[in-house]
Amino acid sequence: MRIQVREIQFEWFNQKLKIFLYTSGDVVSTLFNPPNALNIYPYFLTKRKGYFLDIGAHIGTASVFASYLFGKVLAFEPDPRSSSILKQNTQINNIKNIEVISKAVSDYCGVSYFHIENTLNAGRSSLLEIPNSTEKIEIEVVTLDSVLETSNLDVSYIKVDVEGIEINVLKGIEETISHQPVKPVIQLEFMPSRWHHTKNSFYWFLEFISDNNYVPFMTTQGLICPIDKRVLIGIFDSWKNLTYDSWFDLYLVPEALSSEGNILGAYNDARYLLQYGAQQVQCSSYQPEENSNSLMF
């Protein structure tokens, strides 16, 4: 299978980095922006000495940014097309603290079918059956608890973008989180129309938030804002029966880190880093498609 990619260059921590993106159609590639204060400041809500877990890492844009801020990045991506580009993005920038794991993550260990999105939007592939898939592959499925079982490094931040099985991923790391004195910040897609197909998942999710003393925050056009759990329940009930997918990024912030002062402090820290800790990032022009590269796997 031949994958057409294009290259973007930018400066990050006074280094020139390259990122390979899909040439067209893929949402992540189309909307890609170099790091700025608004898209990286949630990383500053917590101490960054531990793991950054990128679940559904796709082509690795978040993993590459995070690799300069966290102790180690575990990037899980089961789609062979995106995983191939992810590995290229790690290697071309000589990043040593990203480990690419070509497995799916859920609440069990075993083997399952992974449904490949046949449109150009590769980020829509999923363990769940999807409308535009006519291809499925067998892949290994793991839990994060099983992967981290022998690790002596805490988890600092978890990003989960897995097209509808976000709650399954959290169930599979519940033990690890419960034993950490300082809980990780969690960023995930809130997707009621897909969560509704898994019995009682949403109500388990509400208990998970309460049991681990998390405060939910939602994305806005500016900084994230706290959202009452009753509002979450209302959105879930309103959206769960939609025949199309609607979602937004939801952040779970440990209560001890959820003050307005910490949110503003994280944003200011990110701005300071971009201004003084690294040169102002500048995006080069995209290469025209006719000069695109090809990856073969």
Side-chain angles (χ1 to χ4, degrees), residues 60-118:
T61 52
S63 289
V64 169
F65 296 165
S67 68
Y68 287 81
L69 299 172
F70 291 83
K72 182 164 184 176
V73 177
L74 299 183
F76 295 82
E77 179 49 58
D79 189 322
R81 302 168 300 179
S82 297
S83 180
S84 175
I85 301 176
L86 167 58
K87 291 174 182 176
Q88 290 284 327
N89 284 333
T90 299
Q91 294 165 3
I92 197 171
N93 294 300
N94 196 31
I95 299 174
K96 302 299 185 182
N97 66 334
I98 295 180
E99 180 180 350
V100 178
I101 303 173
S102 300
K103 300 175 182 179
V105 178
S106 189
D107 54 355
Y108 65 93
C109 295
V111 176
S112 183
Y113 284 116
F114 187 72
H115 301 271
I116 302 294
E117 171 69 40
N118 289 328

Side-chain angles (χ1 to χ4, degrees), residues 111-250:
V111 176
S112 183
Y113 284 116
F114 187 72
H115 301 271
I116 302 294
E117 171 69 40
N118 289 328
T119 68
L120 293 176
N121 189 8
R124 301 287 285 164
S125 300
S126 177
L127 283 175
L128 298 177
E129 292 188 17
I130 52 179
N132 292 319
S133 173
T134 57
E135 179 185 359
K136 58 184 180 181
I137 59 174
E138 277 196 355
I139 53 166
E140 184 178 353
V141 182
V142 297
T143 67
L144 293 174
D145 279 335
S146 69
V147 172
L148 299 169
E149 187 174 11
T150 59
S151 174
N152 57 4
L153 196 63
D154 279 350
V155 178
S156 297
Y157 197 99
I158 307 173
K159 171 192 151 285
V160 189
D161 182 356
V162 288
E163 302 304 314
I165 63 162
E166 286 77 10
I167 290 179
N168 304 70
V169 170
L170 294 184
K171 287 181 178 180
I173 195 175
E174 187 176 14
E175 183 176 349
T176 298
I177 290 176
S178 68
H179 286 96
Q180 281 195 195
V182 179
K183 311 301 182 188
V185 173
I186 302 174
Q187 172 190 346
L188 73 159
E189 284 190 344
F190 185 77
M191 189 178 287
S193 60
R194 294 202 180 190
W195 289 6
H196 181 53
H197 297 296
T198 306
K199 187 177 180 181
N200 297 325
S201 282
F202 179 62
Y203 300 99
W204 177 92
F205 178 66
L206 294 177
E207 291 181 4
F208 172 83
I209 292 175
S210 297
D211 292 345
N212 291 285
N213 295 316
Y214 276 116
V215 177
F217 283 73
M218 67 179 296
T219 50
T220 69
Q221 295 299 310
L223 303 184
I224 58 174
C225 295
I227 180 171
D228 192 280
K229 284 190 286 188
R230 292 170 296 182
V231 177
L232 275 184
I233 294 171
I235 295 174
F236 180 83
D237 288 337
S238 297
W239 291 12
K240 66 183 181 182
N241 291 320
L242 292 176
T243 57
Y244 55 88
D245 291 333
S246 289
W247 68 89
F248 59 86
D249 278 338
L250 185 71

